[in-house]
Amino acid sequence: MAGDVDQGTDREEQPDPGGRGLGGPPSAAKRGSWITRALAALAVFAVVPVLAFGIKYYQDGQQLKRHEESLKILGAEGLFLFSSLDTDQDSYLSPEEFRPIAEKLTGITSPGEFEEEESHDPNGETLVLEATMQPLQMDSMTKSKDGFLGVTHSSLSGLRAWRAPATPSSTFSAGQFRVFLPPKNKHEVGDTWWVIPSELNIFTGYLPNNRYNPPPPKGKEVFLHSLLSMFHPRPFVKSRFAPQGTVACLRATSDFYYDIVFRVHAEFQLNEVPDFPFWFTPGQFTGNIIISKDASHVRHFHLYVPNDRPLNVDMEWLYGGSESSNMEVDIGFLPQLELLSSGPSTPPFVTDEEGRMVESRGPEPIHFVFEDIHWTAEVSQQEAQRHLGVTFYPFKKVSYLPLPEAFERDYTLSSGRTLRETVLESPPVLALLNHSFISSWSLVRELEHMQVCKNLVLGQKAQMHLEKYNFPVEMIVALPNGTIVHHINANSFLDETAMKPEEEDAAFSFSAGFEDPSTSTYMAFLKEALQRAEEFMQ
C-alpha cells in the first residue's frame, strides 16, 4: 500500500551534491560548499512553514480574543444568536448576514439574490402545483408519553404553529423542471445521477445546528428550494447530516418522454429568534416527474414524504446558547406532506381556427387532450427506488427485508442507521452480510405492533427482540425461531471503537489497509455471532 503513495510529484531535479557524478569522493572544499548550500536551502525551505505557523497562531489568537470579548459583552445567549447569524464566522455581521433580523423587525422581506441557471420562456408552458399537509401527530412523539415533561413551550412553538403549507398553490414554468433531466451519459433505464450532490464526507463532518436561515441556494438548488418553500419558508436543501442531496433515477423512457423517480434529503428550521433552533427532518422526500426530453412539457409531477411506516420524521432542538449545548431528540409521524401537479403543463396561448391568439386560461378555460405515452423501456417503481437507495447508501447492496419475511430465512440481522456511514459501507462487511446473513431493520414502534398482532409466533419473536433493546439502537443477530444469539448496543459499540490519541496513527496505518476500528469490531461481532449460532444449531 505504501508503494502506491506518490511522495515526489512536486519534487524538482536536484544538482549533484559534491560533484560525485564523475565518481570518487568529494573534496573537502566541495564538501564545505555543499554543506553551506544545503544549510541555505534548509533556511529557505524552513521559513515558509514557520511563517505560515506564525500567521495561523496570530489569527487563532485574534479569533480567541474576539470570542472572549463577544462573550463578555453579549453573554452566552447573545453570543449564540450572533454566531447563528455570522455565517462566515468572522465576528462581524455583513448587511446580508443581518438581513434576517432586519426582516423580522421591519416585517418587510427583501428579494433574495438566488442564482438562476437560465431565463425562462415567457411563452412556454406552465404547471400548477398544489401543496397539502396534515400536521405532525404530536402523540406519536416519544416525549408525549410523559406529557412533554421538561420540554419548554418555546422549543415546540414552531412545530405547533406549522399546521398548513406556506403556499397552497403555485405556478412554475415547464422549463424550470429541466433540473431533473438526466445528464448526457445517463440514458439507460435504471441509471442514477446526482441532481444536488452531497458535500459531506468524513473530512467535512456535519453542518452546524445553531442556524435559523438557510444559505442562498445556487444552481439547481434554487428550484428545489422554491418547491420546498411551498411547505415552509425555511427549507434547507442540504441537510446537516448524511444522507444529503438529491438523486434521480430514469425509470422509463419513450420516444419523447422520461419518467424520472427522485429522492430528496432536506430539512426545515421551524423556530425563529429568540427561540432556539428546532430541526424538522423527514426521513426522505420522494416522487416522480414525467417530462418531455426537451423540458418543454411536464405531464405529471409528485413530491411527498412517505408515510408507510409508523414513524417518518426526526426532530432535534437545542437547549442553550452554543453549538455544544444540549440537544433534545425525538421522532414522530407526519401523515401527509406533498406537492402534486393539478394537471399537465399547458401553454398560455393557443391559436384558434381563425388564427387568432386565445388565452388558454381565460374565463372559459380550454380543455386540452394529450396523447397516451407508450414506454419503450422501463423498470419497476420498486426497482427504481432500490437504485436510489444504493446510490445514497452503498450498504443497501445488501438486501434488507421486512422483519417478518427475514424470520422466514436463515439468519436475521437487525441494525440501525448508526453504522450506515461507516462499517456498513466496508467491502468485507458487505461480503460477509451477503454470504452469511439475512438483513433487516425495524423501528421499536413496529416491533410493539407485531407483539400484539394476531400472529402469535411473530408476536413472540418481536417480544424477544424488544427484551434485548436499549436506546437508541440495538444490533441483534437471531435465529429464524427468534432466539437471540448475539447483540450489542450502538452506544457500547461506539465506546468500544473509540480510539485513544496514541492509537490513532496505528489504527489508520497503510499496513492495516485503512481498516478503521469500527469495521474490525463489527466484523468480530458478526463472526462471533456465527460461532454462537452454530452452537445453537448443533
Side-chain angles (χ1 to χ4, degrees), residues 9 66 75 113 121 137 184 279 353 371 418 433 458 467 495 515 531:
T9 54
R66 288 196 299 267
E113 297 180 359
D121 181 5
Q137 294 181 355
K184 294 181 180 179
W279 293 94
E353 296 177 352
E371 77 281 4
T418 306
L433 290 176
L458 181 60
E467 289 173 352
D495 289 341
E515 184 179 88
Q531 294 175 353

Side-chain angles (χ1 to χ4, degrees), residues 464-483:
M464 296 167 73
H465 279 65
L466 287 170
E467 289 173 352
K468 298 295 184 181
Y469 171 78
N470 284 295
F471 183 85
V473 174
E474 195 76 21
M475 291 159 273
I476 298 174
V477 178
L479 298 179
N481 62 9
T483 301

Side-chain angles (χ1 to χ4, degrees), residues 71-388:
L71 183 62
K72 184 177 180 181
I73 296 171
L74 301 174
E77 307 299 325
L79 181 58
F80 168 78
L81 172 59
F82 183 88
S83 299
S84 70
L85 298 170
D86 184 22
T87 56
D88 57 8
Q89 300 300 308
D90 64 351
S91 295
Y92 297 97
L93 289 186
S94 67
E96 176 63 27
E97 291 172 329
F98 184 73
R99 182 164 60 89
I101 294 297
E103 292 176 354
K104 182 71 174 178
L105 295 176
T106 63
I108 301 174
T109 302
S110 58
E113 297 180 359
F114 294 162
E115 174 187 334
E116 289 284 354
E117 284 197 310
E118 58 182 69
S119 58
H120 304 301
D121 181 5
N123 297 319
E125 295 188 2
T126 58
L127 184 76
V128 176
L129 295 184
E130 297 176 348
T132 53
M133 74 171 289
Q134 297 178 44
L136 185 97
Q137 294 181 355
M138 300 298 291
D139 59 359
S140 67
M141 296 176 64
T142 305
K143 301 292 186 296
S144 69
K145 294 181 180 179
D146 56 8
F148 295 98
L149 182 66
V151 180
T152 63
H153 180 76
S154 61
S155 296
L156 304 182
S157 60
L159 177 64
R160 296 183 188 278
W162 191 25
R163 311 294 297 175
T167 307
S169 179
S170 189
T171 301
F172 298 90
S173 69
Q176 289 179 277
F177 293 86
R178 180 183 301 274
V179 299
F180 291 103
L181 288 179
K184 294 181 180 179
N185 60 337
K186 300 288 184 178
H187 288 292
E188 298 294 328
V189 292
D191 282 349
T192 62
W193 62 94
W194 287 91
V195 178
I196 298 177
S198 172
E199 296 179 351
L200 298 178
N201 54 53
I202 60 174
F203 302 106
T204 60
Y206 302 130
L207 299 181
N209 296 307
N210 60 332
R211 296 179 294 164
Y212 292 95
N213 296 281
K218 299 178 180 179
K220 294 181 178 180
E221 298 173 17
V222 175
F223 182 57
L224 185 60
H225 182 275
S226 299
L227 295 178
L228 297 179
S229 293
M230 292 183 66
F231 296 130
H232 192 276
R234 289 183 298 281
F236 285 69
V237 297
K238 288 184 176 178
S239 53
R240 294 160 298 148
F241 307 102
Q244 182 193 75
T246 300
V247 171
C249 176
L250 185 57
R251 193 203 71 80
T253 181
S254 73
D255 292 339
F256 302 104
Y257 289 95
Y258 292 127
D259 184 358
I260 297 168
V261 178
F262 53 84
R263 175 169 170 170
V264 180
H265 283 277
E267 55 190 348
F268 301 95
Q269 176 52 242
L270 302 191
N271 279 356
E272 294 183 273
V273 177
D275 298 329
F276 294 125
F278 183 104
W279 293 94
F280 188 92
T281 312
Q284 63 169 286
F285 291 90
T286 190
N288 78 301
I289 179 172
I290 299 176
I291 184 172
S292 63
K293 293 183 177 182
D294 62 358
S296 63
H297 176 69
V298 176
R299 181 65 61 88
H300 171 80
F301 182 84
H302 189 202
L303 178 148
Y304 64 98
V305 174
N307 59 2
D308 56 337
R309 303 196 78 120
L311 299 169
N312 60 356
V313 175
D314 286 332
M315 290 161 283
E316 299 172 325
W317 59 97
L318 288 175
Y319 277 129
S322 70
E323 186 68 26
S324 59
S325 299
N326 291 333
M327 174 171 279
E328 197 73 62
V329 180
D330 208 336
I331 49 180
F333 179 68
L334 182 69
Q336 183 185 34
L337 191 65
E338 67 176 322
L339 296 178
L340 184 64
S341 54
S342 60
S345 63
T346 55
F349 299 94
V350 294
T351 304
D352 65 11
E353 296 177 352
E354 299 178 1
R356 295 175 300 183
M357 297 293 291
V358 179
E359 187 177 356
S360 63
R361 301 183 189 90
E364 298 181 3
I366 296 175
H367 177 69
F368 289 89
V369 178
F370 298 94
E371 77 281 4
D372 293 334
I373 300 176
H374 300 285
W375 303 114
T376 56
E378 61 183 310
V379 297
S380 67
Q381 181 77 18
Q382 183 179 7
E383 181 68 9
Q385 291 288 352
R386 190 186 71 81
H387 285 302
L388 293 175

